Amino acid sequence: MKTRTLFLISAFLVLASLLLSSCASGAASASSASGFPHVTVNNGTAYLSNGQFVRAYNTENGTQLWSYPDKGDPKKEFFGAPVLTDDGQIIVGAYDNRLYSLDASGKEKWFFQGSGRFIAAPVIINKVIYAPNADGKLYAIDSTGKELWSFTAQGALWSAPVADQKQTTLYQTSMDHNIYAIDLGNKRLSWKKDLGAAITASPAVITDTVFVGTFGSEIAALSADKGEIRWRNTVQGWVWASPVFDKGRLYVSDLVNDLNSNSSSTFYAYDAKTGGVIWKKAINGGIVAPPLVTDKAIYIGYDDGPGSTTSTVYAIDNNGTQIWKSSESIKGKIHSPFVATGNLLLVPISTGDDVLWALNIGSGAKVWTAK
Amino acid sequence: MDVIWNFLITNPMVNLLLFIYSIVHNFGLAIIVFTILIRLITHPLTVSQLKGTQALTDLQKSSKWQDIQKKYKDDKEKLQQEQMKMYQEAGVNPAASCLPTLIQFPIMIGLYQAIIRSLAVAPAQLFDLQLHVYPFFRGVVSGFIPLDNRFLWMDLAQPDYVNVFGIGIPVMAILVVVTTYMQSKMMTPPSSGPNDQSAQMAQSMNLMMPLMMGYFALTFSSGLALYFLVGNIFAVFQYAALGRLNWRNLLPAALLPGKKDALPGKKEISQNKKDSTTSKKEALPGNKEALPGNKEALPKKKASKD
């Protein structure tokens, strides 16, 4: 009986361990964090950071050219968009707290060690790499991986910084509720503004105005030189996607979820000067990716409604009228920015079998997909 | 199934944790307060378990129980049958002491999910978190996310290790193992005898439980380890307040009060030895008595010869 009792108890404990492990893996685990894939295009090659790999694809047909690293590591995940330097390096940040430099064939050249995750893409200005980190620092690094200086914010940096047209000031949003304006000349803070809620998206920057969306369900326009509020609008849900400025208008979306994981959004077109709503469109799906605005259309993508595991890409005109929608439903979620290259629209996909879709930018027809 | 689980377990826990955080502004403290709240809510269950355990102990101390132990000591199957019969007659459930532990499991799983979701150290996790925040609470939550995951020396989202001379010491895992063992021992009712199966089960659990909890504390986030540790400490106070804490179980037998009584063996054994020696003499009183027949036997022999 003693043996039987011990066996039953042991079996129970093993089962409990398995149950806890499986339920734990079902929840997002902090030790292997997850993010949204991002793509960059240069000279006919698309560079996709997605999970444990950075991969290069031929944009003509989606053929994979190379993959880095050779073997995946759950602690080393890549989600920030790869960025290319003038001398052909591919700079990409990882969740193992390192910023990597790869050559054109995907071989590692150097890495820079930070204290936290590199979640967002860096930006390169005058051969200096400005890399935001979850440790709250914006690192300025040279092309060999050496730290030149850094700026420290009060909280994690999850968004890519954006420079003004003259590339003298860098605007960095932060999870600490602030937007920072950093003078690249004297390497000091010009101004900062507390907007009352976490900001996970990059700002939109034009000559004299900076536009920011926050988790406080707000869109704000600030003066670029002093950070003074020009206008401030309330929306319904959290603003995940970066606003986009085009021809006097600001395009932005919010996201509302119910407790059954069903998402809905509103897509807004604002007068950038006054903040007045020109039009808005209710969307029966969740918009997380920023729109891509070209001369021909505005491209947005979102899931296909409550309980859906597929998504669709839409092209709309600047009055919100649909021009086309993607010819097939895309298996997976659209959480990341699109990239236009030639006659293609590249769409990175989260949680799908195919991680990158190429659509005809004029019709929405599927051209190729890549795994 | 996910929807039901989220509705019943995950969402309430996430929101309660975030609510507590909004007050204390520290996630470690939020976990501590949360743990105490859960213990208080499940207190009636604990009381019910104690009553069941006490009834079991009383039954096992009864003379009727002792009788069947002696009667069927060589027939385990029959003994088990008689024991089950007595459980039924007395309305006692020997598995009742396991019920609070079983109830704790969905809470443990739910809390782990709530901790990981709440900490949200990357965009996709934050995206997932918002799916579990009650709509009326989102405005408040947007003001303090992302949460500060530091508490004392720990990153609550990661397993805990303290670097000592280059070696990572899992401090929280060790504390969890020790406190789980102590708690289990102090709450174990005394055994009624060598054939007391519930005591055997409890003894096995007292070994396996600390190891399992230590494994969880080692492998998963230190936030979960903190929950275990606080839960163990609170349970000790809980049982003490109910007068059910058996501190003696923690001490080795040699250190128990009333050593002489506790170890009747030495003096008594030697006394018993003397007694047995004496009785041996009595049993064999100078051979003459032990073999009383010798003299008598011999005459018979003579008689038989004649």
Side-chain angles (χ1 to χ4, degrees):
Chain A
M1 176 63 191
K2 189 173 180 181
T3 309
R4 185 169 166 237
T5 306
L6 276 175
F7 172 77
L8 285 172
I9 291 170
S10 304
F12 164 74
L13 292 173
V14 167
L15 189 65
S17 305
L18 288 170
L19 186 64
L20 185 59
S21 301
S22 63
C23 287
S25 63
S29 167
S31 59
S32 58
S34 59
F36 306 141
H38 283 78
V39 69
T40 302
V41 175
N42 186 55
N43 284 340
T45 303
Y47 304 92
L48 178 74
S49 54
N50 186 19
Q52 297 174 28
F53 298 96
V54 179
R55 292 189 166 114
Y57 301 90
N58 183 326
T59 56
E60 273 192 34
N61 50 29
T63 309
Q64 185 180 305
L65 301 172
W66 52 257
S67 177
Y68 169 84
D70 295 328
K71 196 177 170 189
D73 179 354
K75 290 185 181 167
K76 182 175 165 176
E77 291 187 305
F78 305 90
F79 289 109
V83 172
L84 275 73
T85 65
D86 291 339
D87 58 356
Q89 296 182 66
I90 301 155
I91 308 297
V92 62
Y95 280 21
D96 64 353
N97 305 351
R98 291 178 174 177
L99 187 76
Y100 289 89
S101 166
L102 311 177
D103 67 17
S105 64
K107 295 283 181 287
E108 183 181 319
K109 289 185 66 162
W110 53 259
F111 67 82
F112 170 80
Q113 183 73 51
S115 305
R117 293 185 178 93
F118 286 97
I119 291 175
V123 67
I124 301 176
I125 298 170
N126 297 327
K127 298 185 191 215
V128 178
I129 302 163
Y130 295 95
N133 192 282
D135 64 5
K137 287 189 177 174
L138 178 68
Y139 292 98
I141 303 161
D142 73 11
S143 59
T144 65
K146 185 183 155 196
E147 181 178 343
L148 300 170
W149 57 275
S150 66
F151 169 81
T152 305
Q154 292 169 358
L157 306 179
W158 284 15
S159 61
V162 178
D164 62 353
Q165 282 176 343
K166 292 178 187 171
Q167 297 194 330
T168 56
T169 305
L170 211 55
Y171 298 93
Q172 174 73 62
T173 55
S174 173
M175 299 300 279
D176 66 13
H177 307 181
N178 287 300
I179 173 168
Y180 298 89
I182 303 157
D183 187 316
L184 295 181
N186 62 23
K187 304 176 181 66
R188 285 185 182 175
L189 179 69
S190 291
W191 56 261
K192 71 173 184 181
K193 186 73 180 174
D194 186 338
L195 293 174
I199 310 166
T200 188
S202 298
V205 179
I206 59 174
T207 311
D208 59 351
T209 313
V210 178
F211 304 95
V212 186
T214 78
F215 279 3
S217 304
E218 277 196 328
I219 312 291
L222 302 92
S223 64
D225 57 348
K226 291 180 183 172
E228 292 162 342
I229 300 282
R230 292 231 167 101
W231 55 260
R232 214 164 172 165
N233 281 357
T234 301
V235 293
Q236 285 190 321
W238 292 5
V239 179
W240 280 86
S242 298
V244 175
F245 175 87
D246 183 66
K247 298 186 181 74
R249 292 185 180 188
L250 190 73
Y251 298 100
V252 70
S253 59
D254 64 7
L255 180 71
V256 178
N257 289 299
D258 64 21
L259 290 174
N260 292 324
S261 306
N262 298 321
S263 304
S264 63
S265 293
T266 305
F267 189 79
Y268 297 86
Y270 288 105
D271 180 316
K273 252 205 167 76
T274 64
V277 178
I278 300 173
W279 55 264
K280 62 181 180 181
K281 193 176 171 78
I283 306 287
N284 188 24
I287 301 179
V288 179
L292 175 68
V293 181
T294 68
D295 289 338
K296 296 200 173 141
I298 301 166
Y299 304 91
I300 56 176
Y302 49 88
D303 58 277
D304 292 333
S308 174
T309 56
T310 59
S311 303
T312 302
V313 176
Y314 298 84
I316 58 176
D317 67 17
N318 59 5
N319 292 317
T321 306
Q322 182 177 312
I323 301 172
W324 56 252
K325 70 175 191 179
S326 49
S327 57
E328 292 178 36
S329 277
I330 298 170
K331 281 182 193 163
K333 303 280 183 173
I334 298 173
H335 291 141
S336 314
F338 309 147
V339 173
T341 177
N343 64 339
L344 294 179
L345 185 69
L346 299 184
V347 182
I349 300 297
S350 303
T351 66
D353 293 334
D354 296 315
V355 296
L356 188 61
W357 281 59
L359 306 177
N360 182 294
I361 202 167
S363 64
K366 182 176 85 173
V367 177
W368 54 257
T369 62
K371 291 200 186 296
Chain B
M1 186 65 191
D2 274 351
V3 174
I4 298 169
W5 177 266
N6 286 338
F7 178 77
L8 287 176
I9 304 285
T10 308
N11 293 348
M13 286 200 176
V14 165
N15 285 273
L16 181 58
L17 258 180
L18 291 175
F19 174 71
I20 297 169
Y21 181 90
S22 71
I23 297 169
V24 301
H25 299 292
N26 182 296
F27 202 60
L29 282 179
I31 291 173
I32 291 169
V33 170
F34 179 90
T35 306
I36 293 171
L37 267 176
I38 293 293
R39 287 287 178 168
L40 288 173
I41 290 168
T42 56
H43 183 71
L45 206 61
T46 307
V47 171
S48 164
Q49 175 221 348
L50 284 171
K51 283 184 182 167
T53 308
Q54 187 59 48
L56 189 66
T57 306
D58 292 342
L59 176 68
Q60 291 173 346
K61 280 182 182 169
S62 66
S63 54
K64 194 177 173 189
W65 182 275
Q66 300 298 329
D67 288 342
I68 64 164
Q69 298 296 319
K70 284 177 194 162
K71 191 174 174 186
Y72 300 110
K73 64 179 172 154
D74 295 323
D75 186 348
K76 299 288 181 196
E77 203 167 320
K78 183 68 181 170
L79 175 64
Q80 199 184 350
Q81 282 173 3
E82 290 300 317
Q83 283 177 339
M84 288 309 299
K85 207 169 149 187
M86 286 191 70
Y87 287 143
Q88 281 166 4
E89 283 167 7
V92 167
N93 184 357
S97 60
C98 294
L99 193 58
T101 308
L102 287 172
I103 298 270
Q104 287 285 329
F105 264 109
I107 293 173
M108 195 190 337
I109 293 167
L111 179 70
Y112 179 76
Q113 292 182 338
I115 289 171
I116 294 301
R117 285 196 158 96
S118 301
L119 285 173
V121 295
Q125 292 176 340
L126 191 57
F127 187 83
D128 180 71
L129 171 63
Q130 69 168 5
L131 300 176
H132 298 276
V133 176
Y134 295 139
F136 61 81
F137 196 36
R138 277 187 196 138
V140 175
V141 168
S142 72
F144 58 74
I145 50 152
L147 307 188
D148 181 5
N149 58 340
R150 305 293 311 179
F151 180 66
L152 301 176
W153 69 88
M154 294 177 278
D155 175 349
L156 293 170
Q158 303 287 343
D160 155 62
Y161 286 96
V162 174
N163 213 322
V164 178
F165 303 116
I167 302 170
I169 309 288
V171 173
M172 287 299 286
I174 292 168
L175 288 173
V176 166
V177 169
V178 169
T179 54
T180 306
Y181 179 76
M182 286 173 63
Q183 177 204 337
S184 304
K185 286 291 277 185
M186 286 192 284
M187 290 175 191
T188 301
S191 166
S192 63
N195 292 319
D196 183 353
Q197 288 161 16
S198 63
Q200 288 171 7
M201 193 184 289
Q203 197 179 1
S204 303
M205 287 291 279
N206 288 348
L207 287 174
M208 300 293 285
M209 214 48 185
L211 293 175
M212 185 185 76
M213 303 307 263
Y215 171 74
F216 289 155
L218 194 67
T219 315
F220 297 115
S221 72
S222 52
L224 190 67
L226 183 61
Y227 165 72
F228 291 153
L229 181 64
V230 173
N232 289 344
I233 294 170
F234 186 84
V236 169
F237 282 108
Q238 202 175 11
Y239 271 61
L242 293 169
R244 301 295 184 176
L245 208 57
N246 195 354
W247 292 99
R248 292 163 66 94
N249 278 2
L250 269 185
L251 303 170
L255 296 178
L256 286 171
K259 179 181 170 179
K260 291 177 187 178
D261 295 332
L263 292 172
K266 268 203 169 167
K267 264 197 177 171
E268 289 185 11
I269 286 172
S270 47
Q271 184 62 40
N272 285 343
K273 253 190 178 172
K274 282 185 187 171
D275 289 344
S276 66
T277 311
T278 308
S279 62
K280 203 175 169 184
K281 281 187 182 173
E282 289 173 359
L284 300 167
N287 290 339
K288 290 181 187 178
E289 290 182 21
L291 297 169
N294 266 354
K295 280 188 180 172
E296 294 173 11
L298 284 171
K300 276 186 185 173
K301 227 180 172 178
K302 277 185 183 173
S304 63
K305 241 189 179 175
D306 294 340

